[in-house]
Amino acid sequence: MIAKLQCVVLDCADVVGLSGFYQSLLGGVVNQPDPRWSLGKGWATLHTDGGFVLAFQWVDDYQPPQWPDSAHPQQFHLDLEVKDLEQAQEDVLERGAALLDAGDGQRSWRIFADPAGHPFCLVRH
């Protein structure tokens, strides 16, 4: 091993809004003081209760991914484990997510986009 994962950084046009969206899904503290990062207008962090850190970086003229369009690839996505897929879907849609793929009703996951267009999956535990 040569490195330890420090955080995952999502590009976006609204660091405050997107960090708040993920806080509403995952809990934790937005912009918790941490000597590893300098917080400011173009940067926000979310320290989750489990110790994982998501960071949000402002990008001028941000262009969101267009799943599943390979001309605007998703580049990566987050899988978020939930107990009740129906309730979790309702909750993320109320918070500003968009449903991208509801599946066939048989599989254990559904695909959404966060308010900045990043795909993420809700996966039934």
Side-chain angles (χ1 to χ4, degrees):
M1 181 175 93
I2 62 170
K4 179 180 173 185
L5 180 63
Q6 189 176 65
C7 69
V8 172
V9 181
L10 301 175
D11 289 351
C12 60
D14 178 5
V15 299
V16 172
L18 197 58
S19 62
F21 171 80
Y22 279 103
Q23 181 187 36
S24 77
L25 300 183
L26 303 171
V29 177
V30 171
N31 290 339
Q32 173 179 306
D34 188 318
R36 296 176 291 180
W37 297 287
S38 174
L39 301 174
K41 179 182 173 188
W43 183 265
T45 60
L46 174 62
H47 289 70
T48 67
D49 296 337
F52 184 74
V53 178
L54 282 174
F56 308 90
Q57 175 176 267
W58 178 79
V59 173
D60 187 33
D61 195 28
Y62 172 72
Q63 300 296 315
Q66 301 293 315
W67 184 89
D69 180 3
S70 62
H72 299 93
Q74 67 177 333
Q75 300 173 9
F76 84 100
H77 70 272
L78 301 172
D79 284 350
L80 307 177
E81 182 179 302
V82 299
K83 290 183 181 182
D84 183 332
L85 192 53
E86 295 298 327
Q87 183 61 53
Q89 175 173 316
E90 184 178 316
D91 292 344
V92 300
L93 293 175
E94 286 177 5
R95 288 168 169 80
L99 179 63
L100 297 178
D101 183 350
D104 59 7
Q106 302 299 312
R107 70 180 196 206
S108 62
W109 76 92
R110 295 182 188 153
I111 305 167
F112 300 84
D114 69 22
H118 303 107
F120 69 94
C121 296
L122 294 179
V123 182
R124 183 176 43 246
H125 173 64

